[in-house]
Amino acid sequence: MPNHHRTFRCPAKVNLALSVGAPHPDGYHPIASWMITVCLADDLLITPLPTDRQSHFTIDWTPDAPRPSPIDWPLSDDLTVRAHALLEQHVDRALPVDVKLAKRIPVGAGLAGGSSNGAAMLAALDALFDLQLGRDILIDLAMQLGSDLAFFLTTPSAIVTGLGQTTRPAPRSAPAHLALILSDLHCATGAVYRAFDDYQPGATVDPDRVAALVSQDPLPDAQLFNDLAAPACHVEPRLTELRDRCAAIAQRRVHVTGSGAGLFIVARDQPDADSIAAALAGESDVTVVPVIG
């Protein structure tokens, strides 16, 4: 096998809308979400190794990472490593690689950087080793690792339902311009879902409400919603103050993505996203990144 590396992009995702239902008996929550990928992305550099070599993994922030933080989790817990191990187990053979994960997507921001990394690893190994597993098997493997991974194996704009395994393309006639608001605040996903259960026991997921937004152009800013926004602000009360302050300065609605603590503002176009970033540039506790989705 040629000993040269290939780079795979791992885009962040934003939940433009997110409806959540009460948990099933197994504890997992059904969702309906309009998810899009955006141009903020990690890079996964993979070099196939000879069959007698051991795989090697390194993780670091890129120089242009907008909000780096300590990489303080065990390497064995990283979804790139777990995805590699799961695929080796599935095909019952070693898939030796040297992996360098160059991160830009902030941790704990609801942007699913880890899930994107894991999905990219599955797709990359399938391609590099010519496994020809097919989309359905890759999605089945992805769901064993986490609910967001399957989305990254499909389309860049999709309605995601069930436990995250069912996706339907949601194409748009125009790109979505957003201003991502990143901070040092973090929301633990499990804690946010527990707070959701306390807030809305017996909640019913509403896929029709999500689907109704997709055909509208421009993005229906006033109708975007996230059932996890209030629970996230409960788990991290400083998120409420940050969201309100940014909304007052930018004179725009500020939305929570996923389980937080990442925020975003819908812009009309790229110059408008740049002007939002400029308006918030004086806030020392945030970094604003204009993105296209």
Side-chain angles (χ1 to χ4, degrees), residues 100-231:
K100 295 179 175 63
L101 176 58
K103 288 197 65 62
R104 295 183 187 86
I105 303 171
V107 176
L111 298 171
S115 295
S116 185
N117 301 155
M121 175 61 83
L122 292 175
L125 293 174
D126 186 53
L128 290 171
F129 289 90
D130 195 27
L131 301 177
Q132 300 185 36
L133 295 177
R135 177 177 175 272
D136 290 345
I137 290 177
L138 290 177
I139 287 178
D140 286 344
L141 293 169
M143 289 301 299
Q144 296 179 45
L145 296 168
S147 60
D148 281 339
L149 277 79
F151 163 66
F152 292 104
L153 295 169
T154 55
T155 63
S157 176
I159 300 294
V160 180
T161 54
L163 299 179
Q165 80 278 21
T166 303
T167 62
R168 177 168 59 86
R172 291 186 48 75
S173 58
H177 294 273
L178 309 174
L180 291 182
I181 302 172
L182 309 173
S183 72
D184 290 334
L185 302 181
H186 304 289
C187 293
T189 300
V192 172
Y193 271 101
R194 287 190 293 273
F196 170 81
D197 293 339
D198 292 337
Y199 266 86
Q200 300 188 52
T204 302
V205 68
D206 190 352
D208 292 338
R209 184 183 178 193
V210 175
L213 303 175
V214 174
S215 61
Q216 302 186 44
D217 197 9
L219 279 176
D221 188 24
Q223 299 174 50
L224 302 183
F225 70 98
N226 181 351
D227 286 348
L228 295 182

Side-chain angles (χ1 to χ4, degrees), residues 11-280:
K13 65 85 179 163
V14 168
N15 300 83
L16 294 176
L18 176 58
S19 174
V20 181
H24 293 163
D26 60 9
Y28 291 101
H29 294 74
I31 66 164
S33 182
W34 182 10
M35 297 185 187
I36 63 170
T37 59
V38 296
C39 59
L40 178 64
D42 297 339
D43 288 330
L44 191 62
L45 289 75
I46 305 181
T47 304
L49 298 176
T51 55
D52 60 344
R53 296 277 299 278
Q54 294 290 319
S55 292
H56 181 258
F57 299 84
T58 58
I59 305 172
D60 206 352
W61 294 101
T62 63
D64 62 343
R67 206 78 186 182
S69 59
I71 297 175
D72 54 5
W73 57 91
L75 192 61
S76 59
D77 289 347
D78 194 89
L79 278 167
T80 54
V81 179
R82 293 175 57 203
H84 176 264
L86 180 63
L87 200 49
E88 282 191 326
Q89 180 182 13
H90 178 78
V91 299
D92 195 26
R93 56 176 279 208
L95 304 171
V97 285
D98 181 82
V99 178
K100 295 179 175 63
L101 176 58
K103 288 197 65 62
R104 295 183 187 86
I105 303 171
V107 176
L111 298 171
S115 295
S116 185
N117 301 155
M121 175 61 83
L122 292 175
L125 293 174
D126 186 53
L128 290 171
F129 289 90
D130 195 27
L131 301 177
Q132 300 185 36
L133 295 177
R135 177 177 175 272
D136 290 345
I137 290 177
L138 290 177
I139 287 178
D140 286 344
L141 293 169
M143 289 301 299
Q144 296 179 45
L145 296 168
S147 60
D148 281 339
L149 277 79
F151 163 66
F152 292 104
L153 295 169
T154 55
T155 63
S157 176
I159 300 294
V160 180
T161 54
L163 299 179
Q165 80 278 21
T166 303
T167 62
R168 177 168 59 86
R172 291 186 48 75
S173 58
H177 294 273
L178 309 174
L180 291 182
I181 302 172
L182 309 173
S183 72
D184 290 334
L185 302 181
H186 304 289
C187 293
T189 300
V192 172
Y193 271 101
R194 287 190 293 273
F196 170 81
D197 293 339
D198 292 337
Y199 266 86
Q200 300 188 52
T204 302
V205 68
D206 190 352
D208 292 338
R209 184 183 178 193
V210 175
L213 303 175
V214 174
S215 61
Q216 302 186 44
D217 197 9
L219 279 176
D221 188 24
Q223 299 174 50
L224 302 183
F225 70 98
N226 181 351
D227 286 348
L228 295 182
C233 290
H234 174 79
V235 168
E236 176 46 271
R238 292 174 294 177
L239 187 60
T240 301
E241 186 277 330
L242 178 63
R243 183 174 63 172
D244 292 347
R245 172 159 43 97
C246 291
I249 294 170
Q251 293 295 294
R252 303 291 181 91
R253 293 179 180 85
V254 178
H255 306 275
V256 177
T257 181
S259 57
L263 305 170
F264 69 93
I265 295 174
V266 175
R268 293 183 295 274
D269 49 30
Q270 192 64 39
D272 188 39
D274 292 337
S275 70
I276 293 169
L280 294 169

